[in-house]
Amino acid sequence: MRYMPEPFKIKMVEPIRMTTREEREGFIRDAYYNAFALSADNVYIDLQTDSGTGAMSDAQWSSMMRGDESYSGGRSYYRLLEAGKEIFGYDYIQPVHQGRAAEKVLFPLLVTPGQYVISNMFFDTTRAHVGLAGGRAIDCVCPEGLDSGAYYDFKGNMDVPRLEALIAEHGAENVAAIVMTITNNSVGGQPVSMANMRETARVAREHGIVVVIDAARYAENAYFIKEREPEFADATPLEITREMFSYGDVFTMSAKKDALVNMGGLLAVREDAELTEAIKTRVISFEGYLTYGGLSGRDLEALTTGLYEGLDHDYLRYRVGQMQYLADRLTAYGIPFQNPVGGHAVFVDAGKMLPHIPYDQFPGQALVVELYLEAGIRTCDIGSYLMDRDPETGAQLRAPFEFTRLAVPRRVYTQAHLDVVADALAAVQERAASVKGYQITWEPKVLRHFTSHLKPVD
């Protein structure tokens, strides 16, 4: 086990509270066993998400002082526009306040109610916005991605033969878009190969279907391509990124991940004047004027700087190295996870770790609760609890995996913190047979995992 040393120094620290097991039992009970409802002050190590939870650099903090807060036409927007064109090669770059805002603007423009949208795997907000627009989301990840125990370099790939079969089955005119999620979060933060992106784009263009890239973790995907696809061994992450995005027509991005900021997002169009104008109209209605898109000038400056920092090879090697170190610790304990690890998280296979808990009692969420009780660690279910109910029947949908995601914030935690996480999982594994499942006592209709109430199953 080798920990990849940080390519930075720490200049500022934030104290975190240590709590007792008895205190945590009360905190999680009062939160209705939903970790989203916990106060962050009562969390020791927060691995709930890597979205907006990273530490910004001195260069980012410095750039914020240059933020132009003009309502329209601020220079901070034009700096972002130049960076976006250089990195992604798209004609139109639109800032928004976060990734789901980009989805809210985009999908009603692409989807006619009743149409299908096919993805290598949807994440929760993307799936929800397809549904809110009246579309039907279909997951189409490669078969290798569905076997958590087997190693495969690009488990996030689109299943291209199945994609072609789905288009033939439903008719190209009934497929509103193809979404390529890079890296593929729901299947374990797994990368997508350049070859697979090319093939997917070829199929889409043969049938005249728009390709949307969900680009939240574009830099991590570029790093994996450099490491695992021989054709790109000598290419820079920036060069790889340019080619990746050439296979899309539109992209949405939560900049709270690989752009290393705490708030922000992007929506971009490669070359479609009609779609661009429609996007502008909706942005003004929902996000604010075009040149700030719901963000302050300070946010735009930090985002622009972060786009470049996120593509630094030394940083990316450290970033992925943290996941590989934690995975090595878990392997030593015999704890199952999606192998190999992705770029932003380790996805523990709670279905295998807690085989006595059925999918509709949410083993992924059960492990979330146990990790919090054990060591004050907050994580997130990526399994059947994450899935909303079938919109037609109301039946509980079954996810292909029952994962508990350990999403590591960027530039925040050290090797010692990861050791605490590994040891806590080992402690839970020793008493796994006694862990109970959970049932939902109240839930909203959409994106229920954020606010649902649960209780242990007797």
Side-chain angles (χ1 to χ4, degrees):
M1 301 174 195
R2 177 172 179 261
Y3 184 82
M4 187 63 65
E6 288 83 355
F8 53 81
K9 297 185 293 183
I10 297 170
K11 285 187 172 182
M12 183 185 297
V13 296
E14 176 187 350
I16 48 180
R17 181 186 175 197
M18 310 288 285
T19 58
T20 66
R21 168 84 184 216
E22 183 179 10
E23 287 176 321
R24 294 193 293 273
E25 287 174 352
F27 295 146
I28 195 67
R29 182 178 60 248
D30 292 345
Y32 297 99
Y33 299 95
N34 186 335
F36 283 96
L38 289 169
S39 168
D41 285 343
N42 298 326
V43 173
Y44 175 50
I45 299 175
D46 203 340
L47 307 184
Q48 184 177 61
T49 180
D50 62 317
S51 180
T53 56
M56 292 201 301
S57 69
D58 55 356
Q60 287 179 291
W61 284 107
S62 298
S63 69
M64 291 176 70
M65 300 304 293
R66 298 195 302 267
D68 182 351
E69 305 303 341
S70 301
Y71 185 86
S72 62
R75 64 179 175 273
S76 299
Y77 166 75
Y78 292 109
R79 182 168 174 255
L80 173 65
L81 188 64
E82 290 173 5
K85 288 183 176 180
E86 179 183 3
I87 294 170
F88 307 111
Y90 278 43
D91 291 340
Y92 183 71
I93 307 289
Q94 175 62 59
V96 290
H97 80 272
Q98 63 183 88
R100 68 191 63 180
E103 294 167 351
K104 176 184 177 181
V105 168
L106 177 65
F107 282 108
L109 298 175
L110 297 181
V111 178
T112 299
Q115 284 188 309
Y116 296 89
V117 180
I118 305 169
S119 176
N120 55 336
M121 186 74 82
F122 286 97
F123 197 56
D124 56 357
T125 63
T126 322
R127 187 186 305 277
H129 281 291
V130 168
L132 289 169
R136 301 180 185 182
I138 301 177
D139 292 323
C140 189
V141 70
C142 65
E144 295 86 352
L146 298 175
D147 184 352
S148 65
Y151 184 98
Y152 185 67
D153 280 340
F154 293 101
K155 280 187 169 181
N157 280 353
M158 180 77 75
D159 184 343
V160 176
R162 182 166 177 249
L163 171 66
E164 293 180 302
L166 286 168
I167 294 170
E169 176 185 351
H170 297 297
E173 70 280 4
N174 295 316
V175 179
I178 295 169
V179 176
M180 288 294 279
T181 309
I182 57 171
T183 56
N184 194 333
N185 190 359
S186 292
V187 78
Q190 296 295 309
V192 178
S193 72
M194 192 75 81
N196 188 254
M197 295 193 73
R198 286 176 187 151
E199 276 298 287
T200 302
R202 176 191 62 78
V203 171
R205 288 165 186 171
E206 284 180 0
H207 295 283
I209 301 172
V210 172
V211 175
V212 179
I213 297 177
D214 179 348
R217 297 174 180 88
Y218 70 99
E220 291 169 8
N221 203 85
Y223 177 81
F224 282 118
I225 288 174
K226 179 176 176 63
E227 292 295 304
R228 298 178 183 176
E229 250 179 305
E231 177 186 352
F232 297 94
D234 297 325
T236 66
L238 176 57
E239 291 167 340
I240 294 168
T241 297
R242 282 296 295 268
E243 181 165 343
M244 283 194 305
F245 281 81
S246 73
Y247 300 120
D249 302 298
V250 187
F251 76 77
T252 61
M253 177 191 292
S254 169
K256 298 164 66 177
K257 283 84 168 176
D258 276 0
L260 305 174
V261 289
N262 305 121
M263 185 56 67
L266 297 176
L267 172 56
V269 182
R270 192 154 57 89
E271 44 183 34
D272 186 330
E274 183 177 350
L275 179 59
T276 298
E277 290 305 314
I279 285 171
K280 289 179 179 179
T281 298
R282 289 179 62 83
V283 165
I284 291 173
S285 299
F286 298 134
E287 291 290 292
Y289 191 67
L290 303 174
T291 56
Y292 75 91
L295 298 174
S296 67
R298 297 184 293 276
D299 293 326
L300 296 174
E301 289 286 348
L303 197 167
T304 302
T305 302
L307 286 172
Y308 288 107
E309 287 189 359
L311 286 168
D312 179 77
H313 183 262
D314 289 338
Y315 156 73
L316 287 168
R317 182 173 56 181
Y318 146 78
R319 169 68 176 160
V320 174
Q322 278 196 312
M323 309 309 137
Q324 292 169 341
Y325 173 80
L326 180 55
D328 287 345
R329 289 292 323 270
L330 299 190
T331 297
Y333 282 131
I335 294 170
F337 59 89
Q338 175 66 293
N339 180 41
V341 289
H344 73 287
V346 176
F347 284 62
V348 177
D349 195 330
K352 291 182 178 178
M353 191 172 171
L354 306 171
H356 61 287
I357 300 178
Y359 78 93
D360 56 357
Q361 292 180 14
F362 315 126
Q365 180 64 15
L367 184 54
V368 168
V369 174
E370 291 303 313
L371 279 172
Y372 180 71
L373 292 173
E374 180 66 33
I377 300 164
R378 178 159 63 172
T379 55
C380 179
D381 170 280
I382 305 291
S384 295
Y385 175 54
L386 182 79
M387 306 281 284
D388 288 326
R389 294 184 181 274
D390 186 293
E392 296 178 359
T393 67
Q396 171 61 54
L397 297 173
R398 184 171 189 172
F401 297 107
E402 302 298 337
F403 284 143
T404 299
R405 184 183 69 177
L406 316 178
V408 181
R410 292 161 180 81
R411 304 187 293 203
V412 169
Y413 291 119
T414 66
Q415 178 179 356
H417 290 113
L418 299 185
D419 287 337
V420 170
V421 174
D423 293 343
L425 275 162
V428 173
Q429 182 171 244
E430 288 181 0
R431 53 180 170 81
S434 66
V435 175
K436 295 182 178 181
Y438 285 80
Q439 66 186 70
I440 296 173
T441 60
W442 175 85
E443 62 185 295
K445 292 182 178 180
V446 179
L447 294 172
R448 69 180 185 186
H449 61 288
F450 287 117
T451 56
S452 291
H453 297 177
L454 304 100
K455 69 175 184 179
V457 174
D458 293 328

